[in-house]
Amino acid sequence: MEYNLKHFINGEFVESFDNKRFEFLNPSNNETIGTIPVGCKEDVDFAVRSAKKAFQIWSNIPASKRSDILHEVARLIRKNREELARLETLNTGIPITQTRAQIDRAAENFDFFADMITKLSDEVYVDDVNNFVNYVIRTPIGVAGLITPWNTPLMLETWKIAPCLAAGDTCVLKPAEWTPLSANRLAEIISDAGVPPGVFNIVHGIGEISGAALVAHPEVRLISFTGETTTGMEIMRNGASSLKRFSMELGGKNPAIIFSDADLERALDAVIFMAYSLNGERCTSNSRVLIEASIYEKFLEMLYERVKKIRVGDPFDEKTELGPLVRPEHWKRVKDYIDIGIREGAKLIYGGDRPSGFDKGNYLMPTLFANGERNMRIFKEEIFGPVLLAVKFKDEEEAISLANDVIYGLTAYIWTKDIQKANRVAKRIEAGMVWINSHNVRDLRTPFGGAKYSGIGREGGKYSFDFYMEIKTIQVALGTHKIPTFGKS
Ligand code: NAD
């Protein structure tokens, strides 16, 4: 079946003003699954105008009613779980057991922000010197542009759509051109749940065309972007002349630090999962594993024994742990990094190439490098594939220095039974999020985002509403405080 997708604007699927189309592929064999419009300025303008008009309606619906509608979106996502997971696997190559979990999380995103918007409490300050009561409220802002990457499309789209709509804003989503498939099914679900036409819109297309037009549009007040750091920089430049508010969730090169006193079995499970789940195409991946010298050889051996048993295969097979990478272009990029790693002198312990028996599609063996050094490109640059680099450290100071010696600062994972050391190190790691003795387990109330070149701003919990809402202070005089009397003489 070929999916020839249209934009979703003002409650309807519509053709583009331009008739150019872009093909998206099945990563298992690189055959075309369907096409999207490349998008153009006129499409974006139509979507933004629809969203602007709908804002008058949506922002005036009481938050409790918006909340009910968003809970219904969550219910419908759950009802269509299997279909959505299969669309996602077909287009991304992520194994079906993992896309099901992503769909569950998509539903949870809607439930979470639907609940949260009804529980937000505003601040009140009583000024007993001047006899005022000053209170702070949040109000919806207007039209948001939501620009998302291809690695976990539906989950990341809902991570933005849910708080945006809960806040009373309306939006135009620009899904990644490589993985647009599930977004249109989500549009139907959002519409069926009772979200009025124009509140949620999709403009498909190429980033530099429709994405750029969305960023440049003067009526778009907010841009929430997840993607590569360099794209984020370009977007901020392009949005500067219309003074956009930005939320930037960007790349990562995250360390897992394994101290010699760690529970090595649990650390092993977590490090393997965080390096190879989602086919390694994961911003929070622990793509660098820093191992204390006294256990370096032992832990490396443990890693090798597990990595070689990771099940690579058809992403629809329930047993598959690692599916094909998203596109041939991306496969080549990851493979180029592997070749660079070998040339730089890192030791290839396992993988590094296409697995035997997989001639078609973007399959890559899980890859493990040892003897990483801080000057290597595979130490410093985000590969975004199933490639793990092991690096030896001698003490706590060196572990911190290695962890911080990259431009990124998204996440870090610390493994030790010494809780004081863990907290001491966590405080000094330059990252937005640190887990101690755990893989990435999300608490949606906590802020999500990165330090340094990994991002600007935080989303999650009330932080999402700090972004998607205006903060307004209303100051009320309760008495007859003194007012200067200019001109009264
Ligand atoms: P990308 O930057 O190439 O594309 C992301 C989106 O931006 C796509 O929809 C694309 O069409 C659009 N785009 C591209 N150029 C644009 C422009 N000039 N103007 C407007 N939009 C434009 O990223 P990707 O390759 O799709 O995703 C992988 C990257 O995403 C990795 O770097 C990864 O670390 C990052 N990521 C970060 C997080 C996080 O939360 N920090 C989460 C997931 C992925």
Side-chain angles (χ1 to χ4, degrees):
M1 170 174 183
E2 200 156 298
Y3 298 89
N4 289 312
L5 304 183
K6 297 178 182 175
H7 300 313
F8 182 75
I9 302 177
N10 206 24
E12 287 175 12
F13 289 104
V14 295
E15 294 289 355
S16 173
F17 283 83
D18 190 320
N19 55 20
K20 291 194 199 105
R21 292 206 146 244
F22 177 82
E23 293 185 345
F24 56 95
L25 313 176
N26 174 349
S28 300
N29 53 21
N30 289 322
E31 285 170 11
T32 302
I33 320 172
T35 63
I36 47 164
V38 299
C40 62
K41 231 173 141 180
E42 288 75 13
D43 299 337
V44 169
D45 189 53
F46 177 28
V48 174
R49 279 189 287 111
S50 302
K52 178 116 200 266
K53 207 161 142 224
F55 178 71
Q56 299 312 325
I57 300 164
W58 186 244
S59 60
N60 283 307
I61 292 178
S64 59
K65 174 73 183 146
R66 290 201 301 267
S67 169
D68 290 345
I69 295 173
L70 298 181
H71 278 305
E72 179 62 8
V73 176
R75 195 186 68 78
L76 292 178
I77 290 176
R78 286 196 184 97
K79 192 173 160 205
N80 295 283
R81 178 185 194 239
E82 193 57 25
E83 181 197 351
L84 288 165
R86 296 189 89 78
L87 289 176
E88 202 75 328
T89 291
L90 177 65
N91 197 186
T92 61
I94 308 252
I96 187 76
T97 51
Q98 297 173 40
T99 53
R100 281 190 197 120
Q102 298 286 309
I103 304 307
D104 292 344
R105 179 54 204 286
E108 202 186 333
N109 286 341
F110 274 99
D111 274 339
F112 176 81
F113 288 108
D115 279 339
M116 184 119 200
I117 192 66
T118 62
K119 292 187 186 129
L120 276 186
S121 57
D122 296 318
E123 298 153 58
V124 179
Y125 299 89
V126 175
D127 172 356
D128 58 5
V129 176
N130 299 303
N131 198 16
F132 272 67
V133 63
N134 302 326
Y135 62 100
V136 182
I137 59 169
R138 289 188 174 83
T139 56
I141 295 179
V143 180
L146 312 178
I147 304 179
T148 46
W150 48 257
N151 64 321
T152 48
L154 195 88
M155 196 290 279
L156 281 172
E157 287 157 13
T158 60
W159 176 241
K160 298 181 190 298
I161 299 164
C164 174
L165 300 195
D169 294 329
T170 58
C171 66
V172 178
L173 169 72
K174 209 305 276 169
E177 53 269 45
W178 286 356
T179 56
L181 185 54
S182 52
N184 279 32
R185 187 69 189 94
L186 181 67
E188 288 171 343
I189 287 175
I190 289 177
S191 179
D192 290 349
V195 173
V199 171
F200 170 71
N201 305 276
I202 300 176
V203 174
H204 285 290
I206 305 297
E208 291 78 0
I209 304 171
S210 56
L214 188 59
V215 171
H217 201 292
E219 297 287 3
V220 174
R221 300 309 319 137
L222 306 161
I223 293 285
S224 175
F225 170 75
T226 300
E228 280 190 25
T229 297
T230 49
T231 315
M233 291 172 177
E234 173 75 6
I235 287 177
M236 289 187 77
R237 277 191 289 274
N238 294 341
S241 51
S242 49
L243 204 70
K244 298 279 191 290
R245 180 185 292 188
F246 291 112
S247 171
M248 291 279 158
E249 308 271 10
L250 310 174
K253 189 74 188 177
N254 314 299
I257 305 177
I258 319 294
F259 286 104
S260 55
D261 63 349
D263 179 333
L264 294 187
E265 288 297 336
R266 286 180 64 77
L268 180 68
D269 287 343
V271 168
I272 297 274
F273 179 74
M274 288 310 298
Y276 301 106
S277 55
L278 307 180
N279 299 342
E281 297 159 339
R282 180 166 198 153
C283 58
T284 54
S285 152
N286 49 210
S287 48
R288 295 179 297 148
V289 56
L290 314 181
I291 309 167
E292 192 159 4
S294 58
I295 54 157
Y296 181 76
E297 294 303 334
K298 178 180 173 191
F299 198 67
L300 202 55
E301 182 61 29
M302 289 167 79
L303 284 169
Y304 168 71
E305 287 300 324
R306 288 286 288 277
V307 171
K308 70 179 186 190
K309 290 193 204 127
I310 289 176
R311 285 188 295 264
V312 182
D314 173 1
F316 282 102
D317 185 331
E318 302 279 334
K319 295 203 181 78
T320 292
E321 292 168 325
L322 184 62
L325 303 192
V326 66
R327 286 279 284 213
E329 299 93 310
H330 188 61
W331 187 95
K332 183 172 180 318
R333 184 190 134 109
V334 176
K335 177 74 173 83
D336 285 349
Y337 267 114
I338 293 171
D339 296 341
I340 289 167
I342 294 168
R343 279 202 303 277
E344 284 177 322
K347 185 171 169 198
L348 184 65
I349 301 280
Y350 187 78
D353 216 331
R354 186 177 280 281
S356 63
F358 292 89
D359 304 335
K360 284 190 292 183
N362 312 315
Y363 289 94
L364 190 66
M365 293 167 80
T367 297
L368 176 63
F369 275 109
N371 300 356
E373 301 278 348
R374 65 172 85 218
N375 58 347
M376 292 176 176
R377 282 183 63 193
I378 62 163
F379 177 97
K380 293 188 282 202
E381 297 175 22
E382 186 183 43
I383 300 175
F384 220 57
V387 181
L388 176 62
L389 176 67
V391 183
K392 192 191 293 183
F393 70 84
K394 65 174 185 304
D395 57 17
E396 190 177 320
E397 260 331 289
E398 194 181 27
I400 294 167
S401 149
L402 285 164
N404 289 341
D405 202 6
V406 293
I407 61 169
Y408 298 108
L410 190 58
T411 64
Y413 308 87
I414 300 171
W415 288 89
T416 169
K417 287 188 191 134
D418 178 342
I419 201 70
Q420 288 174 340
K421 177 162 70 181
N423 283 280
R424 201 162 61 225
V425 174
K427 211 167 160 191
R428 291 180 60 200
I429 298 282
E430 295 162 355
M433 296 164 282
V434 180
W435 276 268
I436 295 175
N437 295 329
S438 176
H439 66 301
N440 172 349
V441 176
R442 285 283 292 134
D443 173 343
L444 300 187
R445 295 167 301 180
T446 60
F448 184 98
K452 303 202 285 189
Y453 283 64
S454 288
I456 299 179
R458 296 290 181 271
E459 294 193 43
K462 76 174 186 56
Y463 298 87
S464 290
F465 295 117
D466 287 349
F467 174 72
Y468 288 106
M469 302 189 86
E470 198 57 83
I471 294 173
K472 184 187 287 181
T473 312
I474 299 177
Q475 287 125 134
V476 188
L478 296 178
T480 52
H481 63 288
K482 187 169 166 11
I483 303 175
T485 56
F486 277 28
K488 229 176 173 182
S489 72

